[in-house]
Amino acid sequence: NVPSRELPLVDGLTTADRQKKKEIDDLLTQALKGLTFEERQEQQDILHGVEGKIADEAGFIEASLQELDDHLRTTKTSSIVYEMARGMDPGYVNARAFRVMFLRGNRYDAEAAANQMLRFFEVKNQLFGTEKLVKDITLDDLDEGDIACLKTGRIQLAGKDRSGRQIILNLAGLRKDNMTLQNELRMRYYISMCSVESEETQIMGTVSILYTVGDMQDRFGGSGYLENTRVATSIPSHKAAFHICTDDIRQHLSHHCIIKLAPEKMRTRWRLHYGSRTECLYHMSTYGIPQGFLPVDSSSNQISIRRHLKWLESRFKIERSDRPLSSAIAVLTKEQITPTENDVLVIGGNRSKNLGNQRFRAVVKGMSQAYETGSKESRKDLVDCVIHSVYESGGRFLKQRDGIDGWNKDWKELSKAQIRTTVSQALRNTYRRK
């Protein structure tokens, strides 16, 4: 008898692959079933970036700080490193802004914030040693290997999603053979702490994306995952959502293990996207993640680290100047927007030939008459419909900053009020030109 061999199906998946893929979907579904209706709704709102703003009033913060202090008093003996840090510089450890970061990152769960503070100092001590335990880590604290690791762009800040949450992009394919695990962990710590310098990120949270499509596939089989996770979970930031993108079914299935290691409530905020670059970008756009987050060179269509190196250069300048570090992220994120073909480029009287503009004009043309003859309420609905059509295709409304020309230079995203004004004006003008 000839032994039977499982043949791949039309879509490239074998029956066993399909079964494993179903197990992943079932795992996520089971995580949702384990929550109450209110908890499910809360986790879905967080995932999509529509969660209500956390209370951040002065009185509430003060009460939470007191509760945090009470928890630290009862648990501090479990961490020799925390006690060491407090003895070295109580001003650093007890600083109000420092402690508020942990409270915001844990949604004002004082007990969780206290436990994370203890882990933070343990991790920091292992990565940088006792002499740097009570100081903010800067580029000057990193060694040559760490800087080389930073320059690869393996981990980078990639702008913000439509809810204003910081995107942290992990490009597995940029990991180099000569990168040590310690280099990678110190790099992750540095970039993660850069992201929470911004008070807005502390409040809104972060979205992590692991991108392993095409030549960005992980050649190291996920080695160092547990160590990287330990560093990431010690950072005082609200982890709002996790997205994994891959076009390799084997890697897709291996992520089953990653999800299993996550706490049950957190599993509901994980999303796996299987497909080509275009398919993955489209899927993530439905979660409010603009396609421009992925740094693709328009001429070569390859992943580019130019934007990341520009960010790194700016960090060097800011850290070595008299400018407060707290202003760094606000400045740097303005430099990270790169237009994509799906964006609507607002450039005055010029008619952009960008695909996003062409789609926008077609939608506006089809609705302009209804807008002109409609009621105030129906006009508002039509404007919403046009805006939604741009977002559905993964686009944004972008405008260049004053005095700057060129495709890949300095762009900014319009505010909600500016977008509504732009769309309303386009509907009016289009009707009048008929």
Side-chain angles (χ1 to χ4, degrees):
N1 292 334
V2 178
S4 61
R5 182 168 58 90
E6 189 169 34
L7 297 175
L9 303 179
V10 176
D11 58 4
L13 303 184
T14 65
T15 304
D17 287 340
R18 284 177 173 274
Q19 181 59 36
K20 290 174 184 175
K21 191 171 184 298
K22 182 178 181 299
E23 288 175 12
I24 295 176
D25 295 334
D26 290 345
L27 187 65
L28 296 173
T29 302
Q30 195 60 42
L32 279 172
K33 285 182 177 178
L35 305 178
T36 65
F37 174 79
E38 290 77 13
E39 288 174 330
R40 284 200 301 272
Q41 189 62 50
E42 178 190 6
Q43 296 305 310
Q44 290 300 302
D45 286 348
I46 293 173
L47 176 65
H48 288 272
V50 294
E51 59 177 322
K53 276 212 167 187
I54 60 172
D56 214 33
E57 297 86 5
F60 183 78
I61 290 177
E62 295 307 321
S64 298
L65 283 169
Q66 182 57 56
E67 190 178 351
L68 171 62
D69 190 58
D70 292 341
H71 280 293
L72 287 170
R73 288 177 189 277
T74 58
T75 60
K76 64 184 181 182
T77 53
S78 63
S79 174
I80 298 174
V81 177
Y82 172 77
E83 285 289 89
M84 185 192 310
R86 204 163 65 95
M88 291 169 64
D89 188 351
Y92 180 89
V93 177
N94 298 327
R96 186 178 186 279
F98 180 69
R99 292 191 169 199
V100 166
M101 275 200 306
F102 287 90
L103 286 170
R104 285 172 174 160
N106 290 277
R107 288 311 188 242
Y108 287 97
D109 181 332
E111 182 176 3
N115 290 332
Q116 189 181 52
M117 271 190 73
L118 301 186
R119 292 199 310 275
F120 172 83
F121 281 109
E122 295 279 352
V123 167
K124 190 176 182 183
N125 185 53
Q126 290 177 2
L127 294 179
F128 300 101
T130 306
E131 65 277 8
K132 296 176 182 176
L133 194 56
V134 287
K135 74 177 294 290
D136 293 333
I137 301 299
T138 67
L139 290 166
D140 287 335
D141 296 309
L142 305 182
D143 63 28
E144 188 176 325
D146 301 334
I147 297 297
C149 192
L150 262 175
K151 288 181 177 179
T152 65
R154 158 80 174 85
I155 303 172
Q156 52 185 276
L157 301 183
K160 296 184 178 180
D161 71 1
R162 293 203 180 93
S163 299
R165 303 179 298 188
Q166 178 68 61
I167 298 172
I168 299 178
L169 176 62
N170 296 262
L171 295 167
L174 295 182
R175 191 177 185 185
K176 305 298 182 184
D177 293 327
N178 59 351
M179 281 171 50
T180 68
L181 179 58
Q182 187 76 348
N183 290 149
E184 186 171 344
L185 297 179
R186 284 156 67 104
M187 169 188 65
R188 181 176 294 280
Y189 174 95
Y190 175 78
I191 291 180
S192 299
M193 288 304 292
C194 282
S195 73
V196 293
E197 286 175 355
S198 162
E199 187 173 273
E200 181 184 11
T201 298
Q202 293 175 25
I203 295 171
M204 299 301 296
T206 60
V207 174
S208 293
I209 299 174
L210 173 59
Y211 186 83
T212 63
V213 175
D215 56 3
M216 289 297 110
Q217 288 184 12
D218 184 2
R219 298 178 292 109
F220 296 89
S223 63
Y225 170 74
L226 292 177
E227 293 86 349
N228 272 276
T229 299
R230 186 165 183 266
V231 172
T233 55
S234 73
I235 303 298
S237 66
H238 171 51
K239 283 75 173 175
F242 305 84
H243 295 269
I244 300 177
C245 304
T246 185
D247 57 354
D248 183 334
I249 188 60
R250 304 298 169 183
Q251 288 200 18
H252 180 81
L253 298 176
S254 70
H255 296 317
H256 178 260
C257 300
I258 296 177
I259 297 174
K260 264 193 168 179
L261 289 172
E264 187 169 288
K265 187 177 287 189
M266 192 175 287
R267 286 180 202 164
T268 62
R269 303 204 299 273
W270 283 80
R271 286 296 179 269
L272 275 69
H273 310 289
Y274 173 66
S276 65
R277 177 198 295 175
T278 301
E279 290 171 323
C280 287
L281 292 181
Y282 171 75
H283 290 316
M284 285 193 291
S285 72
T286 64
Y287 293 93
I289 299 172
Q291 295 194 12
F293 86 87
L294 193 65
V296 178
D297 185 273
S298 57
S299 58
S300 66
N301 202 34
Q302 299 297 311
I303 298 293
S304 168
I305 62 169
R306 182 171 50 197
R307 183 176 69 185
H308 174 69
L309 292 178
K310 187 178 180 183
W311 174 85
L312 192 55
E313 181 183 359
S314 299
R315 287 295 306 188
F316 271 111
K317 290 178 180 177
I318 291 172
E319 290 183 8
R320 292 173 181 177
S321 72
D322 295 330
R323 187 171 197 162
L325 277 178
S326 59
S327 66
I329 296 301
V331 173
L332 296 173
T333 51
K334 291 179 181 177
E335 301 173 348
Q336 294 187 352
I337 292 181
T338 302
T340 71
E341 64 175 11
N342 295 312
D343 292 326
V344 176
L345 309 182
V346 182
I347 49 179
N350 297 324
R351 288 172 64 84
S352 172
K353 295 181 180 179
N354 195 44
L355 179 60
N357 287 71
Q358 294 177 30
R359 290 174 181 158
F360 173 71
R361 286 194 291 267
V363 174
V364 167
K365 185 177 181 180
M367 296 186 178
S368 60
Q369 184 168 349
Y371 180 85
E372 189 67 22
T373 58
S375 65
K376 184 177 180 180
E377 279 303 309
S378 66
R379 287 185 175 189
K380 180 178 178 295
D381 291 340
L382 287 169
V383 170
D384 288 339
C385 187
V386 174
I387 295 172
H388 182 70
S389 73
V390 174
Y391 287 163
E392 275 288 286
S393 63
R396 300 162 293 179
F397 291 85
L398 302 182
K399 182 178 182 180
Q400 284 183 313
R401 299 183 190 280
D402 295 338
I404 297 180
D405 300 315
W407 173 260
N408 276 326
K409 293 192 179 177
D410 204 358
W411 293 82
K412 65 178 179 180
E413 195 163 358
L414 270 62
S415 67
K416 291 180 180 178
Q418 290 172 324
I419 291 172
R420 298 195 69 82
T421 299
T422 298
V423 173
S424 299
Q425 186 176 352
L427 287 163
R428 286 194 301 271
N429 293 345
T430 301
Y431 177 80
R432 290 167 187 170
R433 282 196 295 265
K434 283 185 177 181

